[in-house]
Amino acid sequence: MINIIGAGLAGLSAAISCAKSGRRCRLISKQPSERAQSVLAEGGINAALDTMGENDTVKEHFEDTMRGGVYLADPNAVAALTENAPDIINWLLGLGAGFNIKDDKALLRNFGGQKKKRTAFAKSSTGKIIMTALIDEARKYEVSGLIQRFSHHELKDIVVDGDTCLGVVIEDSYTGGKIKCSGDVILACGGLNGFFEGRTTGTTQNDGSAAALAFSKGVEFANLEFIQFHPTTIGISGKRCLISEAARGEGGRLFASLNGEKRYFMEEKYPELGNLMPRDVVSRESYEISRRADCNGVFLDMTGLSQSVWQGKLSDLRSECIYYLGLDPAKESIPVEPGIHYFMGGINVDINHRTNIKGLYAAGECAAQYHGANRLGGNSMLGALYGGRTAAENAEDREIEFDMPQSFENVTLSPDIEEEFEKILYEGLGIARDEKSLENALEKLDKLNKNARTQLGRAMLVSALDRRESRGAHYRSDYSEKDENFRKTSISRLKNGSLETEYRDIPERSGNESQI
Amino acid sequence: MKVRFDILRRKNAASKPYMQSFEYEYENGGMTVAAVLNELNRREPLKDINGEDADLIRWECSCMQKKCGACAMLINGRPRLACDAKLSEYGDAIRLEPFRKFPVVADLICDRTVIFENLKFIGAWFEKNAEIGENRAALAHESSRCLQCGCCLEVCPNFSADTKFKGMAAAVPLSRLLAQVSEDEKKRIFKAYSKYFYSGCGKSLACRNICPAGIDAEMLMVNSNAAAIWKRKRKK
Ligand SMILES: Cc1cc2nc3c(=O)[nH]c(=O)nc-3n(C[C@H](O)[C@H](O)[C@H](O)COP(=O)(O)OP(=O)(O)OC[C@H]3O[C@@H](n4cnc5c(N)ncnc54)[C@H](O)[C@@H]3O)c2cc1C
Ligand code: SF4
Ligand code: SF4
Ligand code: FES
């Protein structure tokens, strides 16, 4: 059996792929798929479908993704991703995912960091619509027995012997019962939101404990310093709520109010891409301008959007603003701030989504793949779908035996320590970082008790401290330029309880079989 | 402002339920019941209104923005999402209870597995490729929005965990299939809709204003009935 931890886009894609090839899998998640973070994805998913008459090509999708990630991504993996993207969207259309279409073809919209229309969408609920189609598809195999679901089950242990993964132990959160699941394991457990609770646009379910557990087992992590801030979020009760990039893709404009005067700062500084510059640039510009003494806030102006755009493409977004802010964005500008949105870093995997532990794979947001130093909007759903499938294609249906472990690693902290821990991380890992604040944060962190969770947090801070350059989402105010010596993957792992870090070269582009 | 939360508590399925009250002070009426539950659980130690130690409150949440259906519960007797319930909508006391139509696991958590089992039972999937088109995609979009939260089932007079009738939480996903099903397999989906929903729905529309996703169920049913019951040709 293949054991998949997580039932969002990556987990579902992996499970369906296993089932299609007749291999059985367990699909294990804390809560049912309907509750996974993937249902929140709004703006869309990228593929060079070229349905808008712009002569878009896979090559350009590849290049934009590499440039967006500031050349830290594995070019071979990105080539495979972008080449497979059109087929993935067509597969989803065949499953009846309710994309916005015309003449049976997916319509595409503009998205940040890309000059051509390449983002397929379903109004502003693209993730939900894809998830629904995949959940229905997986159900077919649940009934035939190829997919065995364990919803309301949490990962309790990853059983590793030497350098090989034997399986996992999961715990039923309703009954407390533990189940031994032997065989290859695919981690598809989402991003590290729980390390920044209340400061991210994601779900509370992804609390980071699965990642901490993996870290405690010697699994290597990569590029942990790269955290994407989305430039347009609004503060709501208990979290940051995303205002999708689609708002800008459809013509929304950012301005800062400087002594009451509107300054469209993105358009002034970047005439070509303007409001659709990559997210790190927009977030940083927005952060910088908001710190000026004469600034009374940054706003998103969507008042120029047409009635048909509101109705056909952004209806959900509009009702959200009205509900949470009491402001109708069709009539007034809304106040926005950057918020944590995506973790480019995560479990280190190769092009086949293998980790450094045999039989253990990772895909989706929990893995560091495809996005390098910064993810383009619309590429993460694609990465989760393609990554899940790739991991499943490489995983083996092995039968292994192991004994139920006698004790389990504690990867949680008590509520007050957790709060302190998260505060420290945020102090060090904000939009603009520098040596002093990172060192301060490390010093404070070292006073907390050590477990795999605090050690993984430590790895994030150390990665950010060691990277003495600015690249993509990692901005160092004391090293504000890119430095080619750092065009490397940062690696972190725990060995005998202590943190080890190193830099590795980015794989060369091989490009034999590929078109691009 | 001060508000009292009366929470129906239970350690586990077998133990006896009891009411326990907590006090909460807030300034911003836009704060939701979900955020308060998180805040209470961060208190260390958590004390009830009488100053007695209390166990952490068990409940489920995920998105905190009305998009995942995890946090559905009875709030002053009405099925709602806790992250959709703003304090400003309520007076100085708010009663929280788990749903009654599903087995309780602990405190505010109930086991809604039957919702998903029902969809398996009635065969809610495509065997063949979907037939797409602009109108069909628009219907598919609307029905795809279902959170599988169970609020509609909680109020439906005709639904219970063991009835043949599977309720709106099954009819909405089926309407996605009905909108796009190919000729080859339409009989199977038509039959599922007719047998497990249409024939058992009293059309009282008790479920009408309860859906937290605001799904236009009437519109979906009109279209589903036209396809599955009256066998009208669908617009592409
Ligand atoms: C508001 C928002 C909007 C977005 N918009 C877009 C967009 O327009 N385009 C785009 O490409 N991307 C977008 N993204 C990003 C994208 O949605 C995610 O990166 C992607 O969906 C991640 O999928 P996943 O399968 O890796 O993880 P998730 O969907 O997060 O799923 C994680 C799964 O792991 C399970 N899990 C977690 N921990 C455990 C544990 N300890 N034990 C057991 N199970 C566990 C969870 O239950 C869940 O099933 C957006 C994200 C957000 C938050
Ligand atoms: S109309 Fe009445 S019987 Fe039919 S699903 Fe709604 S509440 Fe139930
Ligand atoms: S139809 Fe509405 S109330 Fe019923 S399960 Fe779906 S989202 Fe919930
Ligand atoms: S937590 Fe997702 S709907 Fe309330």
Side-chain angles (χ1 to χ4, degrees):
Chain A
M1 281 271 233
I2 293 165
N3 303 290
I4 302 164
I5 310 296
L9 283 173
L12 279 167
S13 169
I16 292 168
S17 168
C18 283
K20 270 184 168 168
S21 63
R23 291 169 304 156
R24 290 174 312 143
C25 65
R26 298 187 187 91
L27 185 53
I28 299 153
S29 57
K30 272 194 187 171
Q31 293 188 25
S33 288
E34 283 81 356
R35 329 263 186 251
Q37 173 163 313
S38 291
V39 303
L40 298 184
E42 301 181 350
I45 173 166
N46 297 337
L49 286 161
D50 189 33
T51 59
M52 308 300 281
E54 294 185 324
N55 293 319
D56 192 22
T57 59
V58 167
K59 185 161 183 277
E60 285 160 276
H61 187 188
F62 168 81
E63 283 164 358
D64 286 347
T65 304
M66 290 303 295
R67 185 175 356 93
V70 206
Y71 305 98
L72 279 201
D74 174 347
N76 301 308
V78 174
L81 174 82
T82 50
E83 273 170 3
N84 279 283
D87 279 352
I88 287 177
I89 308 292
N90 288 328
W91 172 62
L92 295 172
L93 285 170
L95 297 180
F99 282 103
N100 284 37
I101 57 174
K102 196 163 182 178
D103 302 330
D104 297 354
K105 293 201 181 90
L107 290 170
L108 305 172
R109 62 165 46 132
N110 282 114
F111 237 44
Q114 313 185 86
K115 283 182 200 138
K116 290 188 173 163
K117 290 195 174 66
R118 189 181 293 142
T119 307
F121 62 98
K123 295 192 188 172
S124 31
S125 348
T126 314
K128 177 66 180 161
I129 266 66
I130 300 177
M131 284 291 284
T132 302
L134 290 184
I135 290 167
D136 281 1
E137 180 68 359
R139 183 176 298 122
K140 178 163 77 186
Y141 299 111
E142 287 170 45
V143 170
S144 72
L146 284 164
I147 297 178
Q148 214 182 329
R149 269 217 192 242
F150 293 82
S151 300
H152 62 81
H153 285 70
E154 252 188 271
L155 183 64
K156 192 74 191 160
D157 199 5
I158 304 171
V159 183
V160 176
D161 182 23
D163 62 352
T164 307
C165 173
L166 306 180
V168 290
V169 177
I170 58 174
E171 183 177 82
D172 184 335
S173 30
Y174 287 178
T175 64
K178 294 189 182 59
I179 307 170
K180 226 168 46 165
C181 309
S182 72
D184 277 12
V185 174
I186 300 173
L187 294 174
C189 51
L192 288 169
N193 304 341
F195 282 34
F196 301 89
E197 216 198 311
R199 297 183 171 101
T200 80
T201 57
T203 67
T204 54
Q205 231 190 116
N206 297 346
D207 62 3
S209 57
L213 197 56
F215 200 53
S216 76
K217 299 289 167 173
V219 175
E220 285 182 355
F221 280 62
N223 290 342
L224 284 168
E225 62 274 38
F226 295 100
I227 300 173
Q228 180 175 84
F229 282 79
H230 195 287
T232 56
T233 72
I234 55 176
I236 67 172
S237 195
K239 74 175 294 187
R240 309 260 357 143
C241 173
L242 176 77
I243 300 299
S244 167
E245 190 162 305
R248 281 169 290 133
E250 299 295 345
R253 305 169 67 197
L254 279 170
F255 71 83
S257 167
L258 299 181
N259 276 335
E261 192 201 329
K262 286 184 189 174
R263 286 280 291 278
Y264 290 88
F265 56 96
M266 289 308 297
E267 294 164 32
E268 284 172 17
K269 198 156 172 188
Y270 306 94
E272 194 183 12
L273 282 172
N275 294 289
L276 289 175
M277 285 293 287
R279 289 176 179 171
D280 57 308
V281 182
V282 186
S283 289
R284 210 156 46 240
E285 294 292 349
S286 170
Y287 168 78
E288 293 294 349
I289 205 162
S290 71
R291 294 200 320 161
R292 280 175 54 161
D294 57 346
C295 182
N296 321 317
V298 171
F299 297 82
L300 182 61
D301 178 359
M302 293 179 269
T303 56
L305 273 55
S306 71
Q307 204 50 37
S308 71
V309 166
W310 284 118
Q311 268 166 16
K313 297 179 178 169
L314 298 175
S315 51
D316 303 354
L317 191 151
R318 184 176 181 185
S319 31
E320 230 156 52
C321 291
I322 294 175
Y323 180 82
Y324 289 117
L325 296 173
L327 297 173
D328 181 352
K331 300 195 183 113
E332 315 172 59
S333 301
I334 58 162
V336 292
E337 262 176 63
I340 295 182
H341 185 52
Y342 189 86
F343 297 86
M344 273 71 71
I347 298 166
N348 187 37
V349 293
D350 69 3
I351 187 169
N352 294 321
H353 285 266
R354 287 186 291 230
T355 68
N356 60 318
I357 306 282
K358 253 182 240 136
L360 182 67
Y361 300 76
E365 193 169 336
C366 69
Q369 186 61 288
Y370 308 118
H371 312 301
N374 205 3
R375 163 190 80 111
L376 292 185
N379 263 356
S380 58
M381 284 205 268
L382 178 64
L385 288 167
Y386 179 68
R389 191 178 93 190
T390 305
E393 283 166 359
N394 286 282
E396 277 176 68
D397 190 353
R398 299 179 291 150
E399 280 311 323
I400 316 164
E401 262 314 304
F402 63 84
D403 296 330
M404 182 67 103
Q406 294 302 304
S407 64
F408 298 97
E409 186 85 27
N410 177 20
V411 291
T412 57
L413 301 166
S414 65
D416 54 337
I417 307 275
E418 176 65 30
E419 204 177 319
E420 180 66 19
F421 169 64
E422 292 178 23
K423 218 173 95 203
I424 295 170
L425 282 189
Y426 195 66
E427 278 169 21
L429 297 164
I431 292 185
R433 300 147 180 198
D434 59 47
E435 188 164 303
K436 206 167 134 231
S437 59
L438 284 161
E439 272 175 350
N440 270 341
L442 275 167
E443 198 177 306
K444 285 188 200 160
L445 188 74
D446 287 340
K447 294 199 182 108
L448 303 182
N449 48 356
K450 242 198 223 171
N451 72 3
R453 188 173 181 87
T454 50
Q455 289 279 46
L456 185 54
R458 193 159 188 278
M460 296 174 104
L461 291 168
V462 170
S463 305
L465 178 65
D466 287 352
R467 189 176 281 282
R468 291 187 181 78
E469 65 156 352
S470 291
R471 184 185 290 270
H474 175 68
Y475 177 73
R476 285 281 298 257
S477 52
D478 46 355
Y479 297 91
S480 60
E481 296 299 316
K482 187 170 76 180
D483 175 352
E484 273 317 283
N485 295 319
F486 279 105
R487 197 175 83 77
K488 288 193 161 53
T489 305
S490 68
I491 301 285
S492 314
R493 70 180 155 261
L494 270 189
K495 201 158 189 186
N496 305 326
S498 51
L499 177 65
E500 292 183 351
T501 57
E502 62 177 284
Y503 284 106
R504 278 199 202 134
D505 288 337
I506 314 285
E508 293 285 324
R509 177 88 182 94
S510 59
N512 334 343
E513 306 122 52
S514 152
Q515 307 294 309
I516 50 182
Chain B
M1 297 268 274
K2 214 182 249 177
V3 57
R4 192 186 76 233
F5 280 88
D6 300 325
I7 303 181
L8 188 66
R9 307 209 54 177
R10 191 176 326 199
K11 245 195 161 57
N12 53 48
S15 67
K16 247 183 127 122
Y18 61 99
M19 271 290 178
Q20 191 171 32
S21 302
F22 299 87
E23 221 161 33
Y24 191 79
E25 284 230 20
Y26 69 97
E27 279 160 25
N28 172 6
M31 190 168 185
T32 62
V33 168
V36 172
L37 286 170
N38 271 346
E39 291 284 320
L40 288 175
N41 278 343
R42 259 183 228 126
R43 285 187 184 165
E44 217 171 357
L46 173 61
K47 302 244 186 222
D48 72 3
I49 201 161
N50 304 316
E52 305 284 337
D53 280 348
D55 290 333
L56 293 186
I57 304 155
R58 290 194 61 191
W59 68 298
E60 286 180 322
C61 69
S62 178
C63 72
M64 299 294 276
Q65 60 178 105
K66 316 190 279 173
K67 285 191 176 172
C68 80
C71 64
M73 59 181 70
L74 291 173
I75 304 183
N76 284 356
R78 187 181 154 92
R80 281 197 84 172
L81 300 176
C83 65
D84 184 23
K86 293 181 184 167
L87 299 184
S88 58
E89 293 175 50
Y90 297 91
D92 50 13
I94 301 177
R95 194 173 74 253
L96 306 181
E97 297 158 89
F99 278 176
R100 297 190 181 128
K101 285 213 175 150
F102 308 89
V104 174
V105 173
D107 292 345
L108 301 169
I109 303 178
C110 62
D111 186 348
R112 289 172 280 177
T113 304
V114 64
I115 306 182
F116 308 102
E117 287 301 317
N118 282 345
L119 289 168
K120 281 160 67 173
F121 180 75
I122 66 177
W125 61 76
F126 284 129
E127 294 285 348
K128 303 271 161 58
N129 263 3
E131 267 183 26
I132 60 176
E134 272 169 66
N135 278 303
R136 293 174 180 184
L139 286 172
H141 186 283
E142 184 64 14
S143 38
S144 295
R145 292 175 50 240
C146 176
L147 308 175
Q148 297 288 293
C149 64
C151 289
C152 54
L153 302 177
E154 184 70 12
V155 294
C156 173
N158 294 6
F159 173 87
S160 73
D162 47 15
T163 45
K164 184 173 124 192
F165 173 66
K166 304 304 182 200
M168 207 49 103
V172 171
L174 271 181
S175 63
R176 183 182 87 88
L177 304 177
L178 285 167
Q180 307 186 99
V181 67
S182 63
E183 284 299 311
D184 302 354
E185 61 172 332
K186 66 179 193 193
K187 267 212 182 112
R188 181 178 66 86
I189 312 267
F190 285 5
K191 193 168 149 212
Y193 177 78
S194 153
K195 189 166 168 190
Y196 300 114
F197 180 75
Y198 183 78
S199 62
C201 171
K203 300 166 190 77
S204 63
L205 288 180
C207 58
R208 183 191 279 168
N209 293 320
I210 222 77
C211 176
I215 288 171
D216 191 345
E218 258 178 288
M219 181 276 286
L220 290 177
M221 293 316 109
V222 167
N223 278 282
S224 295
N225 293 347
I229 310 298
W230 317 119
K231 312 274 162 39
R232 298 221 179 91
K233 223 174 140 41
R234 292 157 306 163
K235 267 201 283 185
K236 202 168 140 47

